[in-house]
Amino acid sequence: MKSLIPAVYFSVAVAVVAVIAARPSGPFVLVVTSPAAHAAGSMAVIDRADGAFVWAGRVPWMSVAYSQAPDFSERLLDAGALLVINHDLALGCLQGMNT
């Protein structure tokens, strides 16, 4: 049981770091919408939030959006986005596209 406690603390610490890293910051965000809505649904969510579409990858329900508004992430969620995270996490998705 005592050996389990450090593993739990480590897991909690990793989860906290992941949440902090994923927190949207800056004008660019990664927007995840419903896969059933396809590209049109993703574009509609970004448009309803008064943002600009920047990039889409291999899956049409994940895209990068831009807005200078400080409440852009909240507006995306209100417009129907399932998840809004830091766009730097999309760089991992972009790495595979150049190979």
Side-chain angles (χ1 to χ4, degrees):
M1 184 68 173
K2 285 186 177 184
S3 63
L4 184 64
I5 292 174
V8 171
Y9 282 136
F10 178 75
S11 298
V12 169
V14 168
V16 168
V17 169
V19 168
I20 290 170
R23 185 170 178 252
S25 61
F28 294 94
V29 293
L30 179 65
V31 182
V32 178
T33 58
S34 172
H38 304 291
S42 182
M43 296 283 206
V45 166
I46 294 168
D47 185 51
R48 282 194 301 268
D50 294 325
F53 171 81
V54 175
W55 171 86
R58 294 180 183 175
V59 291
W61 43 271
M62 288 179 62
S63 55
V64 176
Y66 170 84
S67 176
Q68 285 289 344
D71 64 339
F72 185 48
S73 299
E74 291 83 15
R75 290 192 324 215
L76 284 165
L77 292 169
D78 291 341
L82 299 177
L83 182 66
V84 180
I85 58 176
N86 190 333
H87 89 287
D88 290 335
L89 298 177
L91 294 178
C93 301
L94 289 172
Q95 296 299 321
M97 294 182 68
N98 296 328
T99 60

